[in-house]
Amino acid sequence: MTNNDIFKKLRVALMLRDDQIVEILELVDFRISKTELSAFFRAENHENYVECGDQVLRNFLNGLVIHLRGTKENPKNPTAVLAKHKAEIPAKEGVSERKEFKSKPKDEGSARGDQSPSKTKPAAKKKPFKKPAPKVQVVEKVKFNFGKNK
């Protein structure tokens, strides 16, 4: 996995925009422009593609630690910072809010979604578990002395 792949995955996972990445890099006194940054996220066959160097990735990770955890004098809660990033993402038009999946309690009176309660069949009897046939020993039991004479 290349540095560019790591950088792309971190950007997507943390839901960061280019300006936020520039701010994170400035926390560790590393200056980079948005255009230089966008070159890392281009396709490899693009003419303006640039490989992300070790120094850029190292500084980004160090800045990310400061951004999420804060400093020793001014600590932060990382989950609050990530929630703030999530809240800043603009909602897409025409897309309703995604509802989280919550399982419903099992109710004996309800049926599967594709069947009505009157058409449900009783559960079939399970077959008893059969024990496998005993193994037939092909080779006789032999005692090895490992070269030791008695």
Side-chain angles (χ1 to χ4, degrees), residues 41-61:
F41 301 116
R42 297 181 192 274
E44 289 184 24
N45 56 2
H46 193 276
E47 62 184 38
N48 294 334
Y49 171 79
V50 176
E51 183 70 31
C52 177
D54 293 339
Q55 184 180 12
V56 176
L57 186 61
R58 176 176 48 89
N59 282 307
F60 175 70
L61 292 173

Side-chain angles (χ1 to χ4, degrees), residues 108-128:
E108 298 299 326
S110 67
R112 288 186 1 204
D114 61 345
Q115 294 178 345
S116 63
S118 61
K119 294 182 181 178
T120 57
K121 298 176 184 175
K125 276 191 171 181
K126 293 185 178 180
K127 295 179 182 177

Side-chain angles (χ1 to χ4, degrees), residues 48 69 73 102:
N48 294 334
R69 294 185 191 165
E73 298 82 29
K102 293 181 182 176

Side-chain angles (χ1 to χ4, degrees), residues 24-25 27-28 58-68:
I24 289 171
L25 287 168
L27 291 174
V28 289
R58 176 176 48 89
N59 282 307
F60 175 70
L61 292 173
N62 289 335
L64 190 62
V65 169
I66 295 171
H67 177 72
L68 293 176

Side-chain angles (χ1 to χ4, degrees), residues 8-26:
K8 288 176 186 176
K9 289 185 186 227
L10 283 170
R11 178 185 181 199
V12 171
L14 297 172
M15 299 173 279
L16 296 172
R17 297 185 317 264
D18 288 344
D19 56 339
Q20 291 172 325
I21 293 174
V22 170
E23 290 173 11
I24 289 171
L25 287 168
E26 287 178 357

Side-chain angles (χ1 to χ4, degrees), residues 139-150:
V139 180
E140 298 175 8
K141 291 187 179 182
V142 178
K143 184 176 179 185
F144 294 98
N145 292 330
F146 298 107
K148 297 179 184 176
N149 294 332
K150 287 188 177 180

